Amino acid sequence: MTGKTEGRASVRSTTDRELSHAVVVLLDRLRDEYGVGPRSREIRVVSLGTQMALLDEATESALATFPELGPEQQRALGRLIVDLQNTRTRIRTVHEGPGHVVQPAEFASAIRRLRGSESVAGLRKRICFEAANAARLDRILLSEVHNGSWTALELYSSTRSDEVLSSLQALPLGFESAESRACKTRSAVFAGPNADVRPSAEVAQMLAADSYVVAPITVSTGVIGLVHGSRPSGDPVNVVVRDMLGAYACGFGTLFERAMLADRLSEQKNVIVQCLQQEAREAELLEHADVSFLDETSAEQVSALPGTPHDDLNPAALESLTTREREVFTLLVRGASNAEIANELVISIFTVKTHVKKILRKLGAMNRSEAIYRYLAMTGQR
């Protein structure tokens, strides 16, 4: 057993030296060819964690100078940036150990499961659980950002299923807070005693840890939420967790926007269906479109209320009309449209159509034109 242990240590030491050499070569190339990035002097005596930070700094410097270069230089620098990130991934794998390295397939599976949630409500139910699994975190806090403050919505704990939020008050996005920095930079931020950003007392209490990461949920219009993560019962969070949670929150933001659009389309579809159903009901009441064969002269001749000045009308048909139906019929025989009748009597078009249908049924007419014709025939004005 001792021999195997010594053998693994020897292999690990050899790997560390190879990785350190690769970092030196890459940083020297970046400095020599583009004049940016950290210097590689004395890098062999620093830890692999520091080397990862140096590779992060080198990548940011390379990306900053990228737009200033010509097409050929951009292609060459792009290949160098890929080499920087590949080396960082190799260091992370060795430095963190297999227990805290999330494989790409696992991350893709988490995003795929989220994609299966077709609504905003469905996404919200799964985000905390999937984030905890993807980044190997014990606690996840989901919150929304609105008007310069953020409000906690849900707290997930892998160890306590009954964990609930004790408070839902809105907290301001303080100038120096990790939450504010995450919103401004639109990237994940590490907060802790040894980090650039000090942890918030309220967040530390909710996450039961003095170090945590926070990542923004971003859509096309800006940051709409935050995802906090911590490991109260295990190893403290680090830059690996920060990057993983940041990538997860980014993917969630894209899926959230898609789900939000799907919800809106569903709502619009329901509104359209309701409108079509209403139109169908109204169409049943309106058997035919408005048609009038009256000219101004004949309209003046029939301007009197049906049944009042003409004793030769059919009393059985006309007397069956209510007062309102008589008012509607008077305007109808003058050639007024449904809209004009509604305007005159201060009622809705739907109510006018209902009255017209009842009038036609009582007079035994198939349509408005036939009703007017019968009225003219009864009054001898054809």
Side-chain angles (χ1 to χ4, degrees):
M1 291 296 293
T2 303
K4 290 183 179 180
T5 302
E6 291 177 351
R8 285 195 295 268
S10 177
V11 172
R12 177 67 173 269
S13 178
T14 301
T15 302
D16 288 352
R17 287 195 297 271
E18 291 175 354
L19 290 174
S20 295
H21 177 70
V23 173
V24 171
V25 172
L26 291 173
L27 294 184
D28 284 343
R29 280 183 56 191
L30 190 62
R31 293 289 301 182
D32 295 341
E33 297 175 18
Y34 303 97
V36 297
R39 299 185 182 278
S40 64
R41 290 178 299 183
E42 306 299 331
I43 194 172
R44 291 178 178 82
V45 299
V46 302
S47 67
L48 289 176
T50 303
Q51 292 183 24
M52 290 173 62
L54 290 173
L55 288 172
D56 284 340
E57 181 183 346
T59 301
E60 291 177 4
S61 299
L63 291 174
T65 195
F66 192 82
E68 303 173 2
L69 304 177
E72 289 296 330
Q73 287 182 306
Q74 285 184 344
R75 280 192 287 271
L77 180 57
R79 288 191 289 269
L80 180 54
I81 291 174
V82 171
D83 291 339
L84 289 168
Q85 290 303 297
N86 286 340
T87 302
R88 185 189 187 285
T89 301
R90 291 175 57 199
I91 293 175
R92 184 183 66 186
T93 303
V94 173
H95 189 54
E96 297 295 330
H100 296 307
V101 177
V102 179
Q103 299 299 323
E106 295 179 27
F107 182 81
S109 296
I111 295 297
R112 189 162 50 249
R113 286 191 293 271
L114 282 179
R115 192 181 293 120
S117 303
E118 299 181 352
S119 66
V120 172
L123 274 175
R124 178 173 166 177
K125 288 180 179 179
R126 293 197 62 88
I127 178 174
C128 293
F129 174 77
E130 294 293 351
N133 287 340
R136 302 291 194 270
L137 293 165
D138 296 330
R139 287 192 173 213
I140 295 291
L141 178 68
L142 175 66
S143 57
E144 65 176 351
V145 174
H146 185 65
N147 289 340
S149 63
W150 64 278
T151 304
L153 299 177
E154 293 185 22
L155 176 63
Y156 169 83
S157 173
S158 61
T159 57
R160 290 186 56 185
S161 58
D162 60 340
E163 192 82 24
V164 295
L165 288 170
S166 59
S167 176
L168 295 177
Q169 79 272 15
L171 298 173
L173 289 170
F175 181 71
E176 296 294 337
S177 67
E179 293 73 27
S180 176
R181 182 174 296 188
C183 291
K184 289 179 181 178
T185 62
R186 296 195 178 187
S187 58
V189 175
F190 173 60
N194 300 321
D196 293 339
V197 184
R198 302 291 295 177
S200 164
E202 294 89 350
V203 178
Q205 181 178 4
M206 286 186 281
L207 296 177
D210 60 356
S211 63
Y212 55 85
V213 291
V214 53
I217 299 174
T218 307
V219 297
S220 58
T221 56
V223 178
I224 61 170
L226 297 169
V227 180
H228 290 77
S230 67
R231 286 178 180 158
S233 60
D235 297 333
V237 293
N238 50 34
V239 292
V240 179
V241 177
R242 179 198 65 189
D243 293 345
M244 179 58 65
L245 193 62
Y248 181 86
C250 180
F252 176 78
T254 301
L255 294 177
F256 180 87
E257 192 160 27
R258 189 190 72 167
M260 188 167 57
L261 291 174
D263 283 355
R264 289 178 179 174
L265 287 175
S266 179
E267 291 175 4
Q268 291 175 357
K269 178 182 177 181
N270 290 336
V271 170
I272 291 173
V273 170
Q274 291 173 5
C275 288
L276 291 175
Q277 291 174 343
Q278 178 66 22
E279 289 296 327
R281 287 192 293 268
E282 293 186 2
E284 291 177 2
L285 298 176
L286 183 63
E287 297 179 356
H288 296 279
D290 295 341
V291 178
S292 175
F293 297 105
L294 298 178
D295 55 21
E296 293 181 0
T297 304
S298 56
E300 291 174 358
Q301 293 174 343
V302 298
S303 59
L305 180 66
T308 301
H310 305 285
D311 296 330
D312 56 344
L313 292 181
N314 184 341
L318 293 177
E319 287 179 3
S320 65
L321 299 180
T322 65
T323 302
R324 177 60 81 181
E325 288 169 352
R326 285 170 176 265
E327 294 173 348
V328 172
F329 190 34
T330 298
L331 296 173
L332 185 148
V333 296
R334 291 179 184 173
S337 66
N338 285 344
E340 291 170 338
I341 294 173
N343 241 4
E344 179 73 21
L345 301 180
V346 195
I347 56 177
S348 69
I349 293 181
F350 181 79
T351 302
V352 172
K353 292 177 181 178
T354 302
H355 286 314
V356 170
K357 182 178 180 180
K358 291 180 179 179
I359 291 169
L360 297 181
R361 186 176 65 249
K362 290 179 179 180
L363 296 182
M366 293 294 297
N367 51 50
R368 299 160 68 101
S369 299
E370 185 179 345
I372 296 172
Y373 177 83
R374 288 194 176 193
Y375 174 78
L376 296 176
M378 286 186 292
T379 58
Q381 300 178 30
R382 281 190 301 167

